[in-house]
């Protein structure tokens, strides 16, 4: 995709360890979906009210491995939720978890009151067949990042430099971005 001469191998490690993972991570950040299979932990301050469904942060969820919650009035103690007591459903690419009996247990007060452990991502063998346009996007982003290694480009017509597109630059920071609190 980047049209690199196969005899030039000096940048192979850089391409494999920085460029390709960076393009994949940017695709994950922009889409909200996990691409490379991995294990995740989502924490919530509480269960949704009135037994409402809880949305999983990432798309492409493979399995919900477990859920636990802080026990009320017992700081530091947690209880696991029996997997048979909740249902995992995918609706319009979003994975939601809902209690089968219509109510969640009462959790203690804590920023980590509820924890969900799950795996998400797309198996590499299935990726190209299921999402060819995403693969093309990642390849194009990787080729572009390989060709543009600085934050500024020399303008081809005119004098001076031009900053790389802001939407590209900003999404590179998304994995570390803390949402505004105010």
């Amino acid at each position: 995709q980047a049209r690199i001469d196969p005899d030039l191998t000096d940048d192979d490690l850089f391409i494999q360890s920085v460029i390709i993972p960076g393009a994949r991570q940017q695709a994950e950040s922009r889409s909200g979906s996990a691409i490379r299979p991995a294990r995740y932990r989502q924490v919530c301050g509480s269960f949704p009210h009135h037994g409402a469904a809880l949305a999983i942060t990432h798309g492409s969820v493979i399995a919900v491995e477990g859920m636990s919650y802080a026990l009320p009035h017992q700081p530091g103690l947690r209880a696991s939720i029996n997997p048979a007591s909740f249902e995992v459903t995918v609706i319009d690419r979003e994975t939601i978890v809902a209690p089968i009996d219509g109510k969640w247990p009462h959790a203690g007060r804590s920023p980590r009151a509820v924890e969900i452990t799950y795996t998400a991502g797309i198996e590499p063998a299935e990726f190209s067949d299921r999402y060819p346009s995403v693969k093309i996007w990642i390849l194009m982003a990787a080729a572009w990042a390989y060709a543009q290694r600085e934050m500024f480009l020399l303008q081809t017509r005119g004098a001076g430099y031009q900053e790389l597109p802001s939407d590209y630059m900003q999404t590179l920071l998304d994995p570390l971005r803390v949402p505004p609190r105010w």
Side-chain angles (χ1 to χ4, degrees):
Q1 185 71 30
R3 296 181 179 92
I4 302 169
D5 187 335
D7 296 336
L8 300 175
T9 58
D10 292 347
D11 289 341
D12 285 359
L13 182 60
F14 175 68
I15 292 167
Q16 292 170 6
S17 62
V18 176
I19 297 289
I20 293 171
R24 186 200 68 247
Q25 189 175 54
Q26 189 173 31
E28 289 177 333
S29 181
R30 286 181 175 215
S31 70
S33 185
I35 293 175
R36 179 183 43 96
R39 190 173 198 209
Y40 297 91
R41 181 175 302 168
Q42 180 174 327
V43 296
C44 307
S46 66
F47 284 111
H49 295 295
H50 309 296
L54 197 151
I56 300 291
T57 304
H58 291 88
S60 302
V61 172
I62 298 168
V64 174
E65 298 173 9
M67 291 180 68
S68 68
Y69 63 97
L71 291 171
H73 312 296
Q74 298 182 32
L77 295 179
R78 302 189 69 75
S80 294
I81 299 176
N82 182 343
S85 67
F86 60 84
E87 177 181 29
V88 179
T89 308
V90 177
I91 300 173
D92 293 331
R93 297 186 192 130
E94 182 178 43
T95 302
I96 59 169
V97 180
I100 290 177
D101 67 0
K103 55 187 171 190
W104 293 109
H106 181 66
R109 302 187 83 161
S110 162
R112 301 179 69 89
V114 178
E115 290 188 8
I116 305 167
T117 304
Y118 61 97
T119 53
I122 304 159
E123 293 299 327
E126 300 174 14
F127 184 75
S128 293
D129 292 337
R130 287 178 61 195
Y131 302 100
S133 64
V134 177
K135 183 176 181 178
I136 290 169
W137 190 96
I138 292 171
L139 288 171
M140 291 173 74
W144 191 83
Y146 181 77
Q148 311 299 330
R149 297 193 205 183
E150 291 82 25
M151 291 183 76
F152 297 91
L153 300 169
L154 180 61
Q155 291 181 339
T156 54
R157 294 185 185 167
Y161 291 88
Q162 172 185 347
E163 189 172 2
L164 293 178
S166 63
D167 65 333
Y168 176 81
M169 296 301 293
Q170 295 308 315
T171 57
L172 292 174
L173 299 175
D174 280 351
L176 294 175
R177 187 176 317 282
V178 176
R181 302 275 186 243
W182 310 103

